[in-house]
Amino acid sequence: MAFTEKDFYAAHFNPKDFLDTYYTFSSGKEDENGFLIFYLKNLHQAFILDDIKGDTLIDIGSGPTIHQFLSACESFREIVATDYCDQNREELQRWLRKDPGAFDWSPVVKYVCELEGNREKWEEKEEKVRRAIKQVLKCDVTQASPLGPVVLPLADCLLSSFCLESACKDLPTYRSALKNISSLVKPGGHLVLGTILEETYYKVGQRPFSCLYLDQASVEEALKGAGFVVKWLKVTKSNLLLSVADAKGVSVVVAQKCQN
């Protein structure tokens, strides 16, 4: 399908439909939550088992979601969430403020607490995430300065979950976007990147949005071009229905920014 421009996102992306479609979590139904469970397990691997940690983590393209912070909040003192769409940032703020009608993340939070060995601590985990998120900023990965006029100290880690392939119309733009966001992380710092593989569209409600078709080799090549060295990567098949998306797979890469 034709590339979905950022103005279309700003006008038509519905965060509630997005959350209901992709993040409604059914405990005990691993097949239904396959891509999400795969991602949560690998974030647990990166931040808890591999002990990637520091003072500051910047999340690129947070959308209206908080699942990506559940393991990271144990390893970073400050988290900066970012997204292009005003409505996504507002939906995230609603959860942070505990507004009535905010999305219920508790089933996902309980699952991550179970990974960490204490399902009963899920309410404490939610509060820890709320305390850790210090800012929610606008971000445009296609710009050389993705955070616009906002200047932050270089982060110890960048996290980006299924964002760049939606924001970039072609491979050169994707490569540029990785270079743009790499300017936000210090040399020797880490990037944890979640990518949807071999997808051309995904739906939010009944509305289709474009996705840049990427294979794993293209992702790794772009990371190398942006000055990152891959430390490990995991790939799994997508279990999303064609009525929702045509993805073939999901990957998680942990990479480190070169020192020079």
Side-chain angles (χ1 to χ4, degrees):
M1 62 176 288
F3 176 64
T4 312
E5 299 284 352
K6 59 184 90 167
D7 291 348
F8 188 87
Y9 268 87
H12 299 295
F13 191 90
N14 185 314
K16 287 191 180 304
D17 286 347
F18 178 73
L19 292 169
D20 288 343
T21 301
Y22 297 99
Y23 293 97
T24 300
F25 195 82
S26 311
S27 184
K29 298 182 181 177
E30 295 230 353
D31 52 334
E32 289 181 22
N33 302 120
F35 102 90
L36 181 53
I37 284 174
F38 170 78
Y39 196 50
L40 294 171
K41 283 181 174 176
N42 281 294
L43 293 179
H44 174 74
Q45 173 77 44
F47 295 121
I48 307 297
L49 303 182
D50 290 358
D51 203 26
I52 292 173
K53 62 185 178 182
D55 288 327
T56 307
L57 177 142
I58 300 175
D59 185 43
I60 302 295
S62 305
T65 68
I66 62 98
H67 67 290
Q68 67 273 32
F69 306 131
L70 295 171
S71 293
C73 74
E74 304 294 339
S75 300
F76 292 89
R77 198 166 49 82
E78 295 190 0
I79 292 172
V80 178
T82 73
D83 199 73
Y84 181 79
C85 292
D86 296 347
Q87 63 269 37
N88 283 342
R89 298 195 308 278
E90 176 54 27
E91 186 65 32
L92 180 53
Q93 294 277 19
R94 291 181 70 208
W95 183 84
L96 292 173
R97 295 190 302 254
K98 305 185 189 178
D99 287 359
F103 188 73
D104 178 14
W105 284 100
S106 62
V108 179
V109 179
K110 288 173 184 173
Y111 176 79
V112 173
C113 288
E114 210 167 277
L115 286 179
E116 293 175 6
N118 196 339
R119 186 182 173 86
E120 303 310 311
K121 294 269 184 145
W122 70 271
E123 288 173 299
E124 290 176 33
K125 170 76 82 176
E126 287 197 341
E127 291 312 307
K128 194 162 192 174
V129 172
R130 288 186 173 98
R131 286 196 304 272
I133 297 174
K134 305 298 186 188
Q135 298 185 74
V136 181
L137 302 175
K138 191 175 180 78
C139 176
D140 184 347
V141 298
T142 65
Q143 302 300 308
S145 299
L147 302 180
V150 178
V151 179
L152 297 177
L154 292 180
D156 299 289
C157 184
L158 291 181
L159 173 60
S160 189
S161 314
F162 320 121
C163 162
L164 300 183
E165 56 271 37
S166 299
C168 299
K169 64 182 177 181
D170 52 29
L171 205 47
T173 311
Y174 180 81
R175 292 186 186 120
S176 292
L178 270 174
K179 289 176 184 172
N180 294 341
I181 68 170
S182 79
S183 69
L184 302 173
V185 66
K186 60 181 64 166
H190 287 87
L191 167 66
V192 181
L193 181 68
T195 305
I196 300 288
L197 299 174
E198 300 179 52
E199 178 178 89
T200 65
Y201 73 87
Y202 69 101
K203 287 186 177 178
V204 177
Q206 294 304 306
R207 204 180 289 277
F209 289 80
S210 67
C211 188
L212 176 61
Y213 186 95
L214 289 169
D215 57 30
Q216 190 58 39
S218 300
V219 174
E220 291 176 59
E221 190 180 327
L223 284 166
K224 186 178 177 182
F228 290 98
V229 176
V230 173
K231 293 178 76 173
W232 59 257
L233 69 91
K234 307 272 183 69
V235 181
T236 190
K237 287 183 179 177
S238 169
N239 67 324
L240 296 171
L241 299 173
L242 283 173
S243 58
V244 172
D246 65 348
K248 300 291 191 298
V250 183
S251 80
V252 180
V253 174
V254 171
Q256 192 165 19
K257 187 174 177 180
C258 297
Q259 291 282 359
N260 54 355

